[in-house]
Amino acid sequence: KGVPYSPDSKLKKIMNSAGAEVHKYLLDQYVNGINPPFYADRKWSSAAPPGAVLTGLTWLFPGYLDVDGRGAGYYAFYTSIKNFGSATWYLMTAKDRGGKFLDGGKSYMMRLPKDVPVRNFWSVIAYNSKDATWFENQPKAGVASSDKGLKVNADGTIDIFFGPKAPAGRQAN
């Protein structure tokens, strides 16, 4: 007959606990384990684990199935990447330059280099790692090269700001 399920059942508590543990593991693998740094001197990595491209999303290698890569990849694909394919490329980070996890209650600045190497556009979006949604009560979720009023520095670089409040005069960024 199976185990009866009710909102306060022991099974629900076990499943919720297991789900939270798996989420924590996949986030840790995605941020700390699977993806090597894209740039040697920065915290950025490709949003797609290396096995995704090498195996055509099967994670089947000679002699083994990369279940950790597959799990972390699916975590990424279903939580943050919106348009996966050959026409797009995603880089991600969850840490500041000191290696600490980013904190939505703090302010950060990211400087994009002059002439970002993209064909059509670039976009920077901040997601909540708890549930892969945008942060609540924010006036905007991200910044894109197509945004009106985007301030470009005299040297062509662009400063992108993250945090609870934009610096005065830099709300577009």
Side-chain angles (χ1 to χ4, degrees):
K1 291 187 175 186
V3 177
Y5 181 83
S6 68
D8 60 340
S9 72
K10 186 175 182 179
L11 177 60
K12 180 180 179 185
K13 291 175 186 169
I14 291 170
M15 295 303 286
N16 285 344
S17 176
E21 188 175 329
V22 167
H23 180 265
K24 184 178 177 182
Y25 173 77
L26 289 175
L27 179 60
D28 178 70
Q29 286 299 300
Y30 187 61
V31 172
N32 296 316
I34 297 296
N35 298 343
F38 194 80
Y39 299 106
D41 63 338
R42 294 187 171 80
K43 302 294 178 205
W44 296 93
S45 64
S46 169
V53 175
L54 294 173
T55 66
L57 300 176
T58 68
W59 283 274
L60 288 169
F61 289 92
Y64 74 99
L65 171 64
D66 183 6
V67 294
D68 285 344
R70 182 175 65 178
Y74 287 146
Y75 170 82
F77 304 151
Y78 293 109
T79 59
S80 59
I81 295 175
K82 301 301 177 208
N83 299 301
F84 186 69
S86 61
T88 59
W89 189 259
Y90 292 86
L91 294 179
M92 57 81 56
T93 189
K95 296 182 178 181
D96 64 17
R97 72 174 58 174
K100 293 181 181 176
F101 276 98
L102 298 172
D103 178 339
K106 295 182 179 178
S107 296
Y108 301 92
M109 193 258 317
M110 177 178 76
R111 179 161 289 155
L112 296 179
K114 178 183 175 186
D115 301 324
V116 175
V118 296
R119 186 175 302 156
N120 296 317
F121 74 96
W122 56 259
S123 176
V124 178
I125 300 175
Y127 291 94
N128 178 343
S129 65
K130 180 180 178 186
D131 56 13
T133 60
W134 294 317
F135 290 92
E136 292 181 29
N137 304 315
Q138 293 298 313
K140 58 195 272 184
V143 176
S145 56
S146 58
D147 286 357
K148 302 224 183 309
L150 196 64
K151 305 265 190 220
V152 178
N153 298 323
D155 63 359
T157 61
I158 301 172
D159 296 336
I160 307 296
F161 300 93
F162 300 90
K165 187 173 180 181
R170 304 300 292 258
Q171 289 82 355
N173 293 47

